[in-house]
PDB file of all heavy atoms in Angstrom:
ATOM      1  N   VAL J   1     222.151  86.000  28.156  1.00 96.00           N
ATOM      2  CA  VAL J   1     221.448  86.758  27.134  1.00 96.00           C
ATOM      3  C   VAL J   1     220.285  85.894  26.658  1.00 96.00           C
ATOM      4  O   VAL J   1     220.485  84.755  26.253  1.00 96.00           O
ATOM      5  CB  VAL J   1     222.382  87.106  25.952  1.00 96.00           C
ATOM      6  CG1 VAL J   1     221.630  87.796  24.838  1.00 96.00           C
ATOM      7  CG2 VAL J   1     223.558  87.949  26.423  1.00 96.00           C
ATOM      8  N   MET J   2     219.092  86.451  26.736  1.00 94.00           N
ATOM      9  CA  MET J   2     217.912  85.690  26.332  1.00 94.00           C
ATOM     10  C   MET J   2     217.586  85.934  24.861  1.00 94.00           C
ATOM     11  O   MET J   2     217.792  87.035  24.342  1.00 94.00           O
ATOM     12  CB  MET J   2     216.729  86.057  27.210  1.00 94.00           C
ATOM     13  CG  MET J   2     216.947  85.640  28.662  1.00 94.00           C
ATOM     14  SD  MET J   2     215.510  85.928  29.696  1.00 94.00           S
ATOM     15  CE  MET J   2     214.490  84.565  29.162  1.00 94.00           C
ATOM     16  N   LYS J   3     217.102  84.876  24.216  1.00 93.00           N
ATOM     17  CA  LYS J   3     216.696  84.972  22.813  1.00 93.00           C
ATOM     18  C   LYS J   3     215.615  86.046  22.684  1.00 93.00           C
ATOM     19  O   LYS J   3     214.673  86.091  23.469  1.00 93.00           O
ATOM     20  CB  LYS J   3     216.174  83.619  22.329  1.00 93.00           C
ATOM     21  CG  LYS J   3     215.847  83.614  20.864  1.00 93.00           C
ATOM     22  CD  LYS J   3     215.463  82.241  20.397  1.00 93.00           C
ATOM     23  CE  LYS J   3     215.194  82.317  18.902  1.00 93.00           C
ATOM     24  NZ  LYS J   3     215.173  81.031  18.278  1.00 93.00           N
ATOM     25  N   GLY J   4     215.787  86.887  21.683  1.00 91.00           N
ATOM     26  CA  GLY J   4     214.819  87.940  21.439  1.00 91.00           C
ATOM     27  C   GLY J   4     215.065  89.212  22.219  1.00 91.00           C
ATOM     28  O   GLY J   4     214.361  90.201  22.027  1.00 91.00           O
ATOM     29  N   SER J   5     216.064  89.195  23.092  1.00 94.00           N
ATOM     30  CA  SER J   5     216.371  90.414  23.842  1.00 94.00           C
ATOM     31  C   SER J   5     217.059  91.419  22.927  1.00 94.00           C
ATOM     32  O   SER J   5     217.528  91.090  21.838  1.00 94.00           O
ATOM     33  CB  SER J   5     217.280  90.101  25.038  1.00 94.00           C
ATOM     34  OG  SER J   5     218.581  89.739  24.601  1.00 94.00           O
ATOM     35  N   GLU J   6     217.118  92.642  23.368  1.00 93.00           N
ATOM     36  CA  GLU J   6     217.794  93.691  22.612  1.00 93.00           C
ATOM     37  C   GLU J   6     219.251  93.332  22.347  1.00 93.00           C
ATOM     38  O   GLU J   6     219.808  93.676  21.307  1.00 93.00           O
ATOM     39  CB  GLU J   6     217.716  95.005  23.393  1.00 93.00           C
ATOM     40  CG  GLU J   6     218.397  96.153  22.724  1.00 93.00           C
ATOM     41  CD  GLU J   6     218.349  97.426  23.539  1.00 93.00           C
ATOM     42  OE1 GLU J   6     217.745  97.449  24.626  1.00 93.00           O
ATOM     43  OE2 GLU J   6     218.942  98.416  23.079  1.00 93.00           O
ATOM     44  N   ALA J   7     219.886  92.618  23.260  1.00 95.00           N
ATOM     45  CA  ALA J   7     221.305  92.293  23.145  1.00 95.00           C
ATOM     46  C   ALA J   7     221.590  91.115  22.210  1.00 95.00           C
ATOM     47  O   ALA J   7     222.697  90.996  21.694  1.00 95.00           O
ATOM     48  CB  ALA J   7     221.880  91.975  24.524  1.00 95.00           C
ATOM     49  N   ASP J   8     220.619  90.258  21.981  1.00 95.00           N
ATOM     50  CA  ASP J   8     220.817  89.050  21.179  1.00 95.00           C
ATOM     51  C   ASP J   8     221.241  89.405  19.750  1.00 95.00           C
ATOM     52  O   ASP J   8     220.507  90.067  19.017  1.00 95.00           O
ATOM     53  CB  ASP J   8     219.525  88.225  21.164  1.00 95.00           C
ATOM     54  CG  ASP J   8     219.666  86.879  20.478  1.00 95.00           C
ATOM     55  OD1 ASP J   8     220.801  86.427  20.221  1.00 95.00           O
ATOM     56  OD2 ASP J   8     218.613  86.265  20.199  1.00 95.00           O
ATOM     57  N   GLY J   9     222.448  89.000  19.378  1.00 96.00           N
ATOM     58  CA  GLY J   9     222.948  89.213  18.028  1.00 96.00           C
ATOM     59  C   GLY J   9     223.627  90.552  17.806  1.00 96.00           C
ATOM     60  O   GLY J   9     224.019  90.863  16.685  1.00 96.00           O
ATOM     61  N   ARG J  10     223.789  91.335  18.848  1.00 96.00           N
ATOM     62  CA  ARG J  10     224.413  92.649  18.705  1.00 96.00           C
ATOM     63  C   ARG J  10     225.718  92.716  19.475  1.00 96.00           C
ATOM     64  O   ARG J  10     225.901  92.011  20.461  1.00 96.00           O
ATOM     65  CB  ARG J  10     223.459  93.734  19.188  1.00 96.00           C
ATOM     66  CG  ARG J  10     222.186  93.747  18.328  1.00 96.00           C
ATOM     67  CD  ARG J  10     221.206  94.777  18.748  1.00 96.00           C
ATOM     68  NE  ARG J  10     221.722  96.120  18.463  1.00 96.00           N
ATOM     69  CZ  ARG J  10     221.195  97.214  19.002  1.00 96.00           C
ATOM     70  NH1 ARG J  10     220.181  97.134  19.835  1.00 96.00           N
ATOM     71  NH2 ARG J  10     221.689  98.398  18.707  1.00 96.00           N
ATOM     72  N   THR J  27     233.305  89.911  32.193  1.00 97.00           N
ATOM     73  CA  THR J  27     233.522  88.612  31.563  1.00 97.00           C
ATOM     74  C   THR J  27     232.271  88.198  30.812  1.00 97.00           C
ATOM     75  O   THR J  27     231.158  88.459  31.258  1.00 97.00           O
ATOM     76  CB  THR J  27     233.835  87.530  32.626  1.00 97.00           C
ATOM     77  OG1 THR J  27     234.960  87.941  33.404  1.00 97.00           O
ATOM     78  CG2 THR J  27     234.129  86.181  32.003  1.00 97.00           C
ATOM     79  N   MET J  28     232.469  87.568  29.668  1.00 97.00           N
ATOM     80  CA  MET J  28     231.379  86.950  28.940  1.00 97.00           C
ATOM     81  C   MET J  28     231.679  85.447  28.907  1.00 97.00           C
ATOM     82  O   MET J  28     232.823  85.053  28.693  1.00 97.00           O
ATOM     83  CB  MET J  28     231.289  87.469  27.511  1.00 97.00           C
ATOM     84  CG  MET J  28     230.125  86.857  26.761  1.00 97.00           C
ATOM     85  SD  MET J  28     230.262  86.961  24.983  1.00 97.00           S
ATOM     86  CE  MET J  28     231.578  85.842  24.673  1.00 97.00           C
ATOM     87  N   ILE J  29     230.677  84.630  29.129  1.00 97.00           N
ATOM     88  CA  ILE J  29     230.863  83.178  29.130  1.00 97.00           C
ATOM     89  C   ILE J  29     229.982  82.591  28.036  1.00 97.00           C
ATOM     90  O   ILE J  29     228.770  82.792  28.019  1.00 97.00           O
ATOM     91  CB  ILE J  29     230.500  82.566  30.496  1.00 97.00           C
ATOM     92  CG1 ILE J  29     231.329  83.222  31.600  1.00 97.00           C
ATOM     93  CG2 ILE J  29     230.704  81.045  30.471  1.00 97.00           C
ATOM     94  CD1 ILE J  29     230.818  82.973  32.993  1.00 97.00           C
ATOM     95  N   ARG J  30     230.626  81.878  27.113  1.00 96.00           N
ATOM     96  CA  ARG J  30     229.908  81.205  26.021  1.00 96.00           C
ATOM     97  C   ARG J  30     230.421  79.773  25.959  1.00 96.00           C
ATOM     98  O   ARG J  30     231.628  79.545  25.914  1.00 96.00           O
ATOM     99  CB  ARG J  30     230.164  81.915  24.696  1.00 96.00           C
ATOM    100  CG  ARG J  30     229.435  81.255  23.525  1.00 96.00           C
ATOM    101  CD  ARG J  30     229.657  81.989  22.221  1.00 96.00           C
ATOM    102  NE  ARG J  30     229.051  83.323  22.298  1.00 96.00           N
ATOM    103  CZ  ARG J  30     229.452  84.351  21.558  1.00 96.00           C
ATOM    104  NH1 ARG J  30     230.455  84.219  20.713  1.00 96.00           N
ATOM    105  NH2 ARG J  30     228.853  85.521  21.684  1.00 96.00           N
ATOM    106  N   ASP J  31     229.517  78.819  25.948  1.00 96.00           N
ATOM    107  CA  ASP J  31     229.892  77.400  25.899  1.00 96.00           C
ATOM    108  C   ASP J  31     230.892  77.054  26.997  1.00 96.00           C
ATOM    109  O   ASP J  31     231.879  76.358  26.766  1.00 96.00           O
ATOM    110  CB  ASP J  31     230.462  77.037  24.528  1.00 96.00           C
ATOM    111  CG  ASP J  31     229.480  77.266  23.404  1.00 96.00           C
ATOM    112  OD1 ASP J  31     228.263  77.035  23.627  1.00 96.00           O
ATOM    113  OD2 ASP J  31     229.911  77.674  22.311  1.00 96.00           O
ATOM    114  N   GLU J  32     230.631  77.585  28.179  1.00 95.00           N
ATOM    115  CA  GLU J  32     231.464  77.330  29.372  1.00 95.00           C
ATOM    116  C   GLU J  32     232.889  77.881  29.249  1.00 95.00           C
ATOM    117  O   GLU J  32     233.753  77.556  30.052  1.00 95.00           O
ATOM    118  CB  GLU J  32     231.507  75.834  29.715  1.00 95.00           C
ATOM    119  CG  GLU J  32     230.145  75.213  29.936  1.00 95.00           C
ATOM    120  CD  GLU J  32     229.346  75.874  31.062  1.00 95.00           C
ATOM    121  OE1 GLU J  32     229.931  76.260  32.090  1.00 95.00           O
ATOM    122  OE2 GLU J  32     228.120  76.013  30.890  1.00 95.00           O
ATOM    123  N   LYS J  33     233.149  78.723  28.238  1.00 97.00           N
ATOM    124  CA  LYS J  33     234.473  79.322  28.052  1.00 97.00           C
ATOM    125  C   LYS J  33     234.391  80.808  28.355  1.00 97.00           C
ATOM    126  O   LYS J  33     233.660  81.534  27.683  1.00 97.00           O
ATOM    127  CB  LYS J  33     234.975  79.096  26.630  1.00 97.00           C
ATOM    128  CG  LYS J  33     235.172  77.632  26.301  1.00 97.00           C
ATOM    129  CD  LYS J  33     235.649  77.459  24.878  1.00 97.00           C
ATOM    130  CE  LYS J  33     235.764  75.991  24.563  1.00 97.00           C
ATOM    131  NZ  LYS J  33     234.702  75.489  23.713  1.00 97.00           N
ATOM    132  N   PRO J  34     235.147  81.270  29.369  1.00 97.00           N
ATOM    133  CA  PRO J  34     235.104  82.688  29.712  1.00 97.00           C
ATOM    134  C   PRO J  34     235.980  83.541  28.788  1.00 97.00           C
ATOM    135  O   PRO J  34     237.017  83.101  28.314  1.00 97.00           O
ATOM    136  CB  PRO J  34     235.656  82.720  31.139  1.00 97.00           C
ATOM    137  CG  PRO J  34     236.546  81.532  31.223  1.00 97.00           C
ATOM    138  CD  PRO J  34     235.952  80.492  30.304  1.00 97.00           C
ATOM    139  N   VAL J  42     232.772  92.460  20.490  1.00 97.00           N
ATOM    140  CA  VAL J  42     232.224  91.158  20.871  1.00 97.00           C
ATOM    141  C   VAL J  42     230.714  91.161  20.688  1.00 97.00           C
ATOM    142  O   VAL J  42     230.005  92.026  21.202  1.00 97.00           O
ATOM    143  CB  VAL J  42     232.606  90.805  22.326  1.00 97.00           C
ATOM    144  CG1 VAL J  42     231.854  89.572  22.799  1.00 97.00           C
ATOM    145  CG2 VAL J  42     234.106  90.582  22.436  1.00 97.00           C
ATOM    146  N   ARG J  43     230.236  90.173  19.930  1.00 97.00           N
ATOM    147  CA  ARG J  43     228.806  90.028  19.651  1.00 97.00           C
ATOM    148  C   ARG J  43     228.189  89.072  20.673  1.00 97.00           C
ATOM    149  O   ARG J  43     228.675  87.960  20.867  1.00 97.00           O
ATOM    150  CB  ARG J  43     228.605  89.492  18.237  1.00 97.00           C
ATOM    151  CG  ARG J  43     227.156  89.471  17.785  1.00 97.00           C
ATOM    152  CD  ARG J  43     227.030  89.206  16.295  1.00 97.00           C
ATOM    153  NE  ARG J  43     227.796  90.151  15.492  1.00 97.00           N
ATOM    154  CZ  ARG J  43     227.386  91.386  15.150  1.00 97.00           C
ATOM    155  NH1 ARG J  43     226.215  91.817  15.558  1.00 97.00           N
ATOM    156  NH2 ARG J  43     228.160  92.162  14.414  1.00 97.00           N
ATOM    157  N   LEU J  44     227.137  89.500  21.312  1.00 97.00           N
ATOM    158  CA  LEU J  44     226.419  88.660  22.262  1.00 97.00           C
ATOM    159  C   LEU J  44     225.376  87.839  21.519  1.00 97.00           C
ATOM    160  O   LEU J  44     224.755  88.322  20.567  1.00 97.00           O
ATOM    161  CB  LEU J  44     225.725  89.532  23.313  1.00 97.00           C
ATOM    162  CG  LEU J  44     226.636  90.415  24.163  1.00 97.00           C
ATOM    163  CD1 LEU J  44     225.800  91.323  25.054  1.00 97.00           C
ATOM    164  CD2 LEU J  44     227.585  89.571  24.993  1.00 97.00           C
ATOM    165  N   VAL J  45     225.201  86.607  21.949  1.00 97.00           N
ATOM    166  CA  VAL J  45     224.183  85.740  21.364  1.00 97.00           C
ATOM    167  C   VAL J  45     223.405  85.067  22.491  1.00 97.00           C
ATOM    168  O   VAL J  45     223.895  84.936  23.606  1.00 97.00           O
ATOM    169  CB  VAL J  45     224.775  84.683  20.399  1.00 97.00           C
ATOM    170  CG1 VAL J  45     225.436  85.342  19.208  1.00 97.00           C
ATOM    171  CG2 VAL J  45     225.747  83.773  21.106  1.00 97.00           C
ATOM    172  N   ALA J  46     222.198  84.637  22.166  1.00 95.00           N
ATOM    173  CA  ALA J  46     221.359  83.965  23.156  1.00 95.00           C
ATOM    174  C   ALA J  46     222.132  82.823  23.804  1.00 95.00           C
ATOM    175  O   ALA J  46     222.809  82.066  23.130  1.00 95.00           O
ATOM    176  CB  ALA J  46     220.087  83.446  22.500  1.00 95.00           C
ATOM    177  N   GLY J  47     222.053  82.748  25.110  1.00 96.00           N
ATOM    178  CA  GLY J  47     222.756  81.710  25.863  1.00 96.00           C
ATOM    179  C   GLY J  47     224.037  82.204  26.500  1.00 96.00           C
ATOM    180  O   GLY J  47     224.552  81.575  27.427  1.00 96.00           O
ATOM    181  N   ASP J  48     224.577  83.322  26.001  1.00 97.00           N
ATOM    182  CA  ASP J  48     225.768  83.886  26.637  1.00 97.00           C
ATOM    183  C   ASP J  48     225.411  84.332  28.044  1.00 97.00           C
ATOM    184  O   ASP J  48     224.282  84.749  28.319  1.00 97.00           O
ATOM    185  CB  ASP J  48     226.277  85.122  25.871  1.00 97.00           C
ATOM    186  CG  ASP J  48     226.949  84.782  24.561  1.00 97.00           C
ATOM    187  OD1 ASP J  48     227.246  83.594  24.309  1.00 97.00           O
ATOM    188  OD2 ASP J  48     227.181  85.732  23.780  1.00 97.00           O
ATOM    189  N   ARG J  49     226.385  84.240  28.923  1.00 96.00           N
ATOM    190  CA  ARG J  49     226.242  84.778  30.277  1.00 96.00           C
ATOM    191  C   ARG J  49     227.273  85.874  30.430  1.00 96.00           C
ATOM    192  O   ARG J  49     228.371  85.769  29.895  1.00 96.00           O
ATOM    193  CB  ARG J  49     226.447  83.685  31.317  1.00 96.00           C
ATOM    194  CG  ARG J  49     225.314  82.669  31.284  1.00 96.00           C
ATOM    195  CD  ARG J  49     225.528  81.533  32.231  1.00 96.00           C
ATOM    196  NE  ARG J  49     226.590  80.682  31.680  1.00 96.00           N
ATOM    197  CZ  ARG J  49     227.350  79.875  32.400  1.00 96.00           C
ATOM    198  NH1 ARG J  49     227.201  79.800  33.694  1.00 96.00           N
ATOM    199  NH2 ARG J  49     228.268  79.135  31.823  1.00 96.00           N
ATOM    200  N   ILE J  50     226.922  86.931  31.137  1.00 96.00           N
ATOM    201  CA  ILE J  50     227.878  88.008  31.351  1.00 96.00           C
ATOM    202  C   ILE J  50     227.978  88.328  32.834  1.00 96.00           C
ATOM    203  O   ILE J  50     227.027  88.152  33.592  1.00 96.00           O
ATOM    204  CB  ILE J  50     227.518  89.278  30.551  1.00 96.00           C
ATOM    205  CG1 ILE J  50     226.140  89.809  30.921  1.00 96.00           C
ATOM    206  CG2 ILE J  50     227.627  89.026  29.049  1.00 96.00           C
ATOM    207  CD1 ILE J  50     225.810  91.156  30.275  1.00 96.00           C
ATOM    208  N   VAL J  51     229.165  88.774  33.212  1.00 97.00           N
ATOM    209  CA  VAL J  51     229.424  89.259  34.563  1.00 97.00           C
ATOM    210  C   VAL J  51     229.605  90.760  34.432  1.00 97.00           C
ATOM    211  O   VAL J  51     230.468  91.209  33.673  1.00 97.00           O
ATOM    212  CB  VAL J  51     230.686  88.610  35.163  1.00 97.00           C
ATOM    213  CG1 VAL J  51     230.986  89.180  36.534  1.00 97.00           C
ATOM    214  CG2 VAL J  51     230.541  87.091  35.210  1.00 97.00           C
ATOM    215  N   MET J  65     218.313  94.905  29.387  1.00 94.00           N
ATOM    216  CA  MET J  65     218.826  94.815  28.020  1.00 94.00           C
ATOM    217  C   MET J  65     219.017  93.363  27.577  1.00 94.00           C
ATOM    218  O   MET J  65     218.762  93.017  26.428  1.00 94.00           O
ATOM    219  CB  MET J  65     220.162  95.567  27.922  1.00 94.00           C
ATOM    220  CG  MET J  65     220.719  95.675  26.533  1.00 94.00           C
ATOM    221  SD  MET J  65     222.301  96.557  26.497  1.00 94.00           S
ATOM    222  CE  MET J  65     221.762  98.243  26.756  1.00 94.00           C
ATOM    223  N   ILE J  66     219.457  92.494  28.474  1.00 95.00           N
ATOM    224  CA  ILE J  66     219.767  91.111  28.073  1.00 95.00           C
ATOM    225  C   ILE J  66     218.600  90.148  28.254  1.00 95.00           C
ATOM    226  O   ILE J  66     218.668  89.015  27.797  1.00 95.00           O
ATOM    227  CB  ILE J  66     221.010  90.557  28.797  1.00 95.00           C
ATOM    228  CG1 ILE J  66     220.768  90.405  30.284  1.00 95.00           C
ATOM    229  CG2 ILE J  66     222.231  91.413  28.497  1.00 95.00           C
ATOM    230  CD1 ILE J  66     221.845  89.644  31.017  1.00 95.00           C
ATOM    231  N   THR J  67     217.527  90.605  28.900  1.00 92.00           N
ATOM    232  CA  THR J  67     216.400  89.704  29.138  1.00 92.00           C
ATOM    233  C   THR J  67     215.146  90.087  28.370  1.00 92.00           C
ATOM    234  O   THR J  67     214.126  89.404  28.493  1.00 92.00           O
ATOM    235  CB  THR J  67     216.030  89.648  30.632  1.00 92.00           C
ATOM    236  OG1 THR J  67     215.595  90.938  31.055  1.00 92.00           O
ATOM    237  CG2 THR J  67     217.177  89.141  31.467  1.00 92.00           C
ATOM    238  N   ALA J  68     215.180  91.142  27.609  1.00 76.00           N
ATOM    239  CA  ALA J  68     214.002  91.604  26.860  1.00 76.00           C
ATOM    240  C   ALA J  68     212.856  91.939  27.804  1.00 76.00           C
ATOM    241  O   ALA J  68     211.696  91.818  27.449  1.00 76.00           O
ATOM    242  CB  ALA J  68     213.566  90.557  25.835  1.00 76.00           C
ATOM    243  N   VAL J  72     212.966  87.268  35.334  1.00 49.00           N
ATOM    244  CA  VAL J  72     213.727  86.050  35.595  1.00 49.00           C
ATOM    245  C   VAL J  72     213.880  85.884  37.095  1.00 49.00           C
ATOM    246  O   VAL J  72     214.004  86.848  37.824  1.00 49.00           O
ATOM    247  CB  VAL J  72     215.124  86.083  34.927  1.00 49.00           C
ATOM    248  CG1 VAL J  72     214.999  86.026  33.426  1.00 49.00           C
ATOM    249  CG2 VAL J  72     215.909  87.306  35.336  1.00 49.00           C
TER     250      VAL J  72
END
Side-chain angles (χ1 to χ4, degrees):
V1 175
M2 295 185 76
K3 185 175 182 164
S5 70
E6 179 182 358
D8 186 14
R10 298 180 69 195
T27 304
M28 182 200 70
I29 303 165
R30 180 178 295 155
D31 300 324
E32 303 301 322
K33 297 179 183 105
V42 171
R43 187 168 305 278
L44 299 174
V45 297
D48 287 348
R49 292 176 287 156
I50 59 173
V51 177
M65 186 181 286
I66 66 170
T67 63
V72 292

